[in-house]
Amino acid sequence: MNPLLAQIEQQDTLETIRENPTIQATKRVYKALGKDPARFRPSSDSLWRRAAKGQGLYQVNALVDLNNAVSLLTHLPFGSYDLDKVTAPLRLTVGQADQTYPGIGKKAIDLNHLMVLADSVGPFGSPTSDSTRAMITETTQHALIVGYGFAQSTGQQAVIQQEVATMVTQYLMDAKIVQQWIV
């Protein structure tokens, strides 16, 4: 992670982030849903900005680091969720008025007009910030990794999916890929 952060700090600026077509595509989806992407940034935008400013990233564990590295490399929002803390069925939906959840390291996240992952209990993840309810911890045994891609072709999505699978098996001890989907 450190060489990647150093490379971004040396090469990237806030202007290159703003002009990135992947970041722009994500922000267009936010606008289409009625969410202000300047006020509620995609996580990939926020991570990349921190790295470009030399502010570093919090290191929690190997899975969270992998999640952040993949997001920085692809410029896509990624979320990793503890599957033992959510209840099927899972669905991708849009947050409703007055819907919130406690975000990781943040106060309540306003989910109104924001794309969210939800289970039978309610929302637990989004391309902006994930909830504390389903967050990855040192005790996580079963995880779901989600890339929120908005302008990639099916072929590009398949390449990203394969890269994530390769990184999971390479960097996470004893990890197995059980299932993969492109939705």
Side-chain angles (χ1 to χ4, degrees), residues 98-114:
D98 299 323
Q99 211 169 24
T100 65
Y101 59 55
I104 299 172
K106 300 177 182 179
K107 56 185 178 186
I109 304 298
D110 175 11
L111 302 177
N112 188 35
H113 299 294
L114 186 64

Side-chain angles (χ1 to χ4, degrees), residues 24-35:
Q24 288 178 351
T26 303
K27 288 182 173 186
R28 280 193 300 273
V29 171
Y30 275 50
K31 287 179 186 175
L33 292 174
K35 202 67 164 178

